[in-house]
Amino acid sequence: MHFFFQYTKVWIPDPDEVWRSGEIIKDYKEGDKSLHLKFEDDTICEYPVDLKTNQLPFLRNPDILVGENDLTALSYLHEPAVLHNLKVRFLESNHIYTYCGIVLVAINPYEQLPIYEQDVIYAYSGQNMGDMDPHIFAVAEEAYKQMARDEKNQSIIVSGESGAGKTVSAKYAMRFFASVGGSASETNIEEKVLASSPIMEAIGNAKTTRNDNSSRFGKYIQIGFDKRYHIIGANMRTYLLEKSRVVFQADDERNYHIFYQLCASASLPEFKDLALTCAEDFFYTSMGGDTTIDGIDDADDFEKTRHAFTLLGVKESHQMSIFKIIASILHLGNLEIQAERDGDSCSISKQDEHLNNFCRLLGVEHSQMEHWLCHRKLATTAETYIKPMSVQQVMNARNALAKHIYAQLFNWIVEHINKALHTTLKQHSFIGVLDIYGFETFEVNSFEQFCINYANEKLQQQFNSHVFKLEQEEYMKEQIPWTLIDFYDNQPCIDLIEAKLGILDLLDEECKVPKGTDQNWAQKLYDRYSSSQHFQKPRMSNTSFIVVHFADKVEYQSDGFLEKNRDTVYEEQINILKASKYQMVADLFQDEKDSVPATPTVKGAAPKISVRSARPAVKAANKEHKKTVGHQAICSLCTSLSTQQIVKILNLYTPVNEFEERVTVAFIRNIQANLQERNDPPQLLLDYKYMFPVLFPFSPSSITMDSIHIPASLNLEFLNEV
């Protein structure tokens, strides 16, 4: 029986305010068709009750609890209660931080607050998490304390939608560790750790419609400590750089900050050789409209970027090489491509100043680059042809080359930052900080938003697993009385994306089809997933599709998905860059091979891109299909977990009847490519269906399950027979 008595306060949905508070003015008993309510503005309302579901409004918390600094202290913990509590704390008390158990909820104030100074760091150092007001420093202190007390490595995951302030929060966490764990030696390693931030923001952040300093890549920074818990070094891993931003920006967005910083400093004497002018003069930096950001001085930020490079030990000559490469990309985008009369071929003038500057800055042969920007090789089993390309094909190839050059430079800079932060001292423990893209939904959503939102689905699953699933399993194991919380499980949405014949799988298949198109791929999605709860077809489009994510419905435009997933540049252009007279430019492209290997041949380097070779397809048919960007999304998410965590997840969180659908041999091999260089103890995944154990690193065997004896001393009791 449900009774709501007079004077009870409730929340009802509201189209304008989302949730509206009202007070019941007449007792309600089960069977009544409506609730009689009075709102805070004294208006009266009869709120209808669906007698079939008997769904009643959410109860409002007592006023004495509103404004609590920990959401778990509320009597009623539901959406309107959470939103109202956060609103009261933010608007009335000027508190941007609120706890939810071990989770810190932060609201971006979009202004600088005086709560991050050194004296605030010292105030939180050594304190217990609940002793002071909620703060990012309290979370950082808790991680540092648990690392020292329990001698266990820690990680802080910073997640949220685009523009929520994740990157800034990650920076403040690292600043805390640099202060409380300052190095005991004169190496000033903590200064170098902090110096990596302005560099990564310059080359990896950009203005979007949501955020003036949006991270367009994911990063995981692992800060190493010695036995006395002083910082001794750090290491950074990056994930899925948004390369398409180099060649395209939506309205009111910008390219990466470094392009504008360099253009703003083009008048400096040392940069005269770059032949740069203002950002408005370059195609790759002016597509979004306004090239400036209110309150941001790009020239001043560039000085900070250069200072950070110097602090990290990047030589002046290498810095100038970096700036030459960045300038060359801008000149590449300004090439004037002239169509010939036949419409199937085109050319670039030998006198094109931007082509001259591009070749000069990269130290490559002018006539060769001019030729191969407009032609490509086609090979049959008998002979090789040189085929001219149309204007559109040349523009696509030009853009692909620009993206590839920038991505290779980005990876080079990350590698050199890691060299500067590397230590030969033995690491006793570490704290990791994961700062990955927030959930995104724009007016136009493409492949980049799809990958970002897929990553956030996986993060949400981890969040659910830790906050709800694992915690409740612990209560049950300890036989503590506990009412199970029914929380949203987003596994069906993840299956839609990554399972066998899921969205990514069908995308990879369409990329293999000689005449595959975005439209054909979209039609295959409609045919296969028309009945899925997490997939919808828009009424007014035959090329878009909707995915119902945990955070929101997102409509994706299929145009460009295939080309972005293939991520192809032409082999002839890469060979010209390999032959550059400048060593650094040549080194950037030496990892690319004439044919794509099945597995990486360079230690620790996975192939990031498909180099389109002139070799006939027949000869390459027996080679494993090169990993596409979509598959990289799967693998890169795994690199932030330990090998044992991955094995546990594969064993414990995979339903038996879906095992062959979600954890195939090919999928395991994709994961193991990212784990090959680890020094972790070998972990076993026992696969009953395929009748062989999989060892990380991968080692197939014909041994059956029945013949395997697992000694208790190995502590592998978590393994299941699946």
Side-chain angles (χ1 to χ4, degrees):
M1 298 291 285
H2 295 284
F3 295 97
F4 274 26
F5 298 109
Q6 187 179 4
Y7 307 121
T8 300
K9 292 183 178 180
V10 296
W11 293 103
I12 64 168
D14 185 85
D16 298 321
E17 299 179 31
V18 184
W19 295 99
R20 195 175 182 188
S21 176
E23 183 180 285
I24 295 175
I25 56 176
K26 180 182 176 183
D27 288 352
Y28 168 85
K29 62 180 182 298
E30 193 166 349
D32 288 351
K33 294 182 179 180
S34 63
L35 278 170
H36 296 268
L37 300 173
K38 182 171 75 172
F39 295 120
E40 291 176 336
D41 60 3
D42 289 334
T43 56
I44 306 297
C45 164
E46 278 196 36
Y47 180 72
V49 176
D50 188 339
L51 295 179
K52 291 181 180 178
T53 61
N54 208 26
Q55 185 67 43
L56 294 171
F58 290 115
L59 291 171
R60 178 170 166 164
N61 283 294
D63 290 341
I64 194 171
L65 292 180
V66 175
E68 279 285 339
N69 67 9
D70 191 333
L71 296 174
T72 59
L74 299 177
S75 299
Y76 308 114
L77 191 58
H78 42 60
E79 182 182 320
V82 169
L83 293 177
H84 182 63
N85 199 73
L86 294 175
K87 177 183 175 182
V88 168
R89 285 181 59 77
F90 183 70
L91 293 180
E92 296 180 14
S93 306
N94 295 321
H95 292 310
I96 66 169
Y97 292 119
T98 305
Y99 289 130
C100 181
I102 62 169
V103 178
L104 180 70
V105 182
I107 296 177
N108 191 345
Y110 289 99
E111 62 177 288
Q112 293 292 332
L113 298 179
I115 58 173
Y116 303 105
E117 283 80 8
Q118 201 66 29
D119 58 331
V120 181
I121 291 178
Y122 293 141
Y124 276 88
S125 179
Q127 300 294 321
N128 292 322
M129 194 164 168
D131 290 350
M132 298 179 68
D133 285 338
H135 200 290
I136 184 65
F137 291 161
V139 174
E141 168 61 24
E142 188 68 15
Y144 186 77
K145 189 191 303 175
Q146 288 194 25
M147 175 190 68
R149 183 186 63 206
D150 303 335
E151 295 204 343
K152 286 185 178 179
N153 298 326
Q154 304 290 315
S155 281
I156 296 174
I157 296 178
V158 188
S159 67
E161 67 175 340
S162 183
K166 298 178 298 299
T167 298
V168 174
S169 294
K171 278 200 298 187
Y172 285 137
M174 289 194 294
R175 184 187 296 176
F176 182 88
F177 297 134
S179 295
V180 301
S183 56
S185 65
E186 297 300 316
T187 58
N188 294 328
I189 189 67
E190 69 275 9
E191 288 185 21
K192 293 182 179 179
V193 171
L194 296 179
S196 66
S197 291
I199 295 173
M200 295 310 298
E201 286 186 23
I203 66 173
N205 288 27
K207 178 193 176 186
T208 67
T209 54
R210 292 276 191 92
N211 183 1
D212 287 346
N213 190 34
S214 177
S215 296
R216 309 314 300 162
F217 70 106
K219 65 176 178 289
Y220 175 71
I221 298 179
Q222 197 167 283
I223 303 170
F225 296 85
D226 60 18
K227 285 187 175 182
R228 298 176 63 190
Y229 305 106
H230 293 304
I231 293 178
I232 56 171
N235 185 71
M236 174 167 44
R237 301 179 210 162
T238 60
Y239 308 95
L240 293 175
L241 174 71
E242 186 187 39
K243 291 185 286 189
S244 64
R245 183 165 295 272
V246 175
V247 300
F248 173 78
Q249 304 95 47
D251 288 343
D252 203 30
E253 295 198 352
R254 295 206 318 177
N255 206 327
Y256 290 105
H257 295 323
I258 190 67
F259 290 106
Y260 303 91
Q261 292 178 7
L262 196 56
C263 286
S265 307
S267 59
L268 293 176
E270 61 264 39
F271 295 140
K272 184 178 179 181
D273 196 39
L274 303 183
L276 292 178
T277 52
C278 60
E280 289 88 347
D281 294 338
F282 293 96
F283 180 64
Y284 282 163
T285 49
S286 59
M287 276 180 278
D290 191 357
T291 60
T292 61
I293 301 175
D294 290 341
I296 298 297
D297 185 334
D298 287 314
D300 184 53
D301 283 351
F302 187 58
E303 285 304 310
K304 294 175 183 175
T305 303
R306 295 178 74 182
H307 177 69
F309 272 126
T310 303
L311 189 59
L312 286 170
V314 179
K315 294 185 292 188
E316 284 291 333
S317 60
H318 278 160
Q319 289 186 43
M320 189 53 66
S321 295
I322 291 170
F323 303 143
K324 282 183 177 180
I325 294 168
I326 291 168
S328 76
I329 293 172
L330 292 179
H331 289 296
L332 180 62
N334 273 26
L335 296 184
E336 190 173 331
I337 304 164
Q338 302 163 340
E340 301 296 339
R341 290 182 179 179
D342 59 10
D344 293 329
S345 60
C346 60
S347 63
I348 301 171
S349 169
K350 286 182 169 58
Q351 281 73 46
D352 190 308
E353 62 171 325
H354 293 292
L355 178 61
N356 293 336
N357 288 326
F358 174 75
C359 295
R360 177 178 54 81
L361 291 170
L362 292 185
V364 296
E365 219 280 315
H366 184 283
S367 60
Q368 287 285 309
M369 185 58 76
E370 176 202 334
H371 177 77
W372 287 113
L373 279 170
C374 299
H375 298 78
R376 62 160 301 199
K377 282 183 183 178
L378 286 176
T380 66
T381 51
E383 53 188 316
T384 300
Y385 299 90
I386 296 176
K387 185 180 184 296
M389 295 192 289
S390 67
V391 171
Q392 190 58 52
Q393 288 173 326
V394 170
M395 289 176 65
N396 290 342
R398 184 267 314 267
N399 290 343
L401 181 62
K403 291 189 293 183
H404 184 49
I405 293 171
Y406 191 79
Q408 294 297 96
L409 178 63
F410 181 90
N411 292 335
W412 185 94
I413 292 172
V414 171
E415 181 184 334
H416 278 71
I417 288 175
N418 281 335
K419 284 181 180 177
L421 300 180
H422 180 70
T423 178
T424 55
L425 300 174
K426 186 177 180 181
Q427 178 179 287
H428 178 69
S429 54
F430 70 79
I431 297 176
V433 180
L434 177 67
D435 170 21
I436 201 157
Y437 349 72
F439 185 86
E440 290 189 347
T441 174
F442 300 127
E443 284 189 27
V444 177
N445 300 289
S446 188
F447 183 72
E448 295 77 23
Q449 281 68 48
F450 181 78
C451 289
I452 286 169
N453 292 342
Y454 165 47
N456 275 272
E457 286 284 357
K458 299 287 279 188
L459 273 179
Q460 180 68 16
Q461 187 182 49
Q462 283 289 307
F463 178 85
N464 285 346
S465 177
H466 283 281
V467 174
F468 296 114
K469 188 182 288 185
L470 296 181
E471 194 68 25
Q472 292 185 158
E473 285 177 2
E474 195 68 29
Y475 272 62
M476 292 168 69
K477 191 166 77 175
E478 305 253 345
Q479 296 184 334
I480 298 172
W482 176 256
T483 303
L484 289 177
I485 296 173
D486 184 22
F487 59 89
Y488 174 72
D489 185 3
N490 63 339
Q491 186 62 54
C493 183
I494 292 173
D495 287 344
L496 169 71
I497 296 170
E498 72 177 22
K500 187 177 181 181
L501 295 181
I503 292 175
L504 286 176
D505 209 5
L506 291 176
L507 179 61
D508 286 347
E509 288 300 319
E510 192 67 20
C511 285
K512 297 177 190 177
V513 176
K515 293 186 178 181
T517 66
D518 297 312
Q519 291 75 19
N520 288 345
W521 172 64
Q523 190 57 52
K524 289 177 182 177
L525 294 181
Y526 301 153
D527 295 342
R528 184 166 185 85
Y529 291 110
S530 58
S531 60
S532 172
Q533 291 184 334
H534 292 271
F535 183 92
Q536 297 172 5
K537 179 187 179 299
R539 290 182 181 178
M540 306 300 290
S541 174
N542 288 318
T543 58
S544 300
F545 62 95
I546 295 171
V547 175
V548 182
H549 291 285
F550 74 94
D552 200 359
K553 285 184 183 180
V554 181
E555 181 174 336
Y556 298 101
Q557 319 294 326
S558 67
D559 295 343
F561 262 69
L562 263 67
E563 194 55 43
K564 290 172 182 176
N565 195 47
R566 288 192 188 107
D567 210 13
T568 305
V569 292
Y570 290 109
E571 183 181 29
E572 295 76 33
Q573 297 170 358
I574 297 299
N575 287 337
I576 295 171
L577 293 170
K578 285 181 183 179
S580 168
K581 66 181 182 181
Y582 298 133
Q583 189 63 47
M584 178 176 163
V585 175
D587 287 347
L588 287 183
F589 305 98
Q590 288 310 312
D591 290 347
E592 303 297 348
K593 302 301 175 187
D594 292 339
S595 61
V596 181
T599 54
T601 55
V602 180
K603 184 177 181 181
K608 300 286 185 185
I609 193 156
S610 172
V611 178
R612 185 169 290 173
S613 171
R615 294 185 181 185
V618 176
K619 292 184 180 180
N622 293 328
K623 293 187 179 294
E624 184 179 319
H625 181 60
K626 206 277 307 170
K627 285 181 201 167
T628 56
V629 176
H631 244 122
Q632 289 173 39
I634 294 174
C635 297
S636 66
L637 290 170
C638 294
T639 60
S640 61
L641 304 174
S642 71
T643 308
Q644 190 176 37
Q645 284 175 315
I646 292 170
V647 176
K648 281 189 175 184
I649 289 169
L650 290 177
N651 277 282
L652 299 181
Y653 297 105
T654 303
V656 173
N657 61 347
E658 292 182 23
F659 188 80
E660 67 276 13
E661 292 293 318
R662 284 169 44 203
V663 188
T664 61
V665 178
F667 179 76
I668 292 168
R669 283 177 175 163
N670 270 322
I671 292 175
Q672 67 86 26
N674 282 272
L675 304 174
Q676 198 69 45
E677 299 303 320
R678 292 188 178 182
N679 294 319
D680 297 344
Q683 304 289 324
L684 280 169
L685 169 68
L686 303 183
D687 181 350
Y688 187 76
K689 178 178 174 61
Y690 292 103
M691 298 298 288
F692 64 82
V694 177
L695 189 69
F696 286 89
F698 183 72
S699 178
S701 168
S702 58
I703 302 172
T704 62
M705 288 266 307
D706 296 333
S707 61
I708 298 174
H709 171 65
I710 304 176
S713 60
L714 290 179
N715 194 27
L716 296 175
E717 68 276 7
F718 62 86
L719 290 172
N720 283 12
E721 286 191 7
V722 291

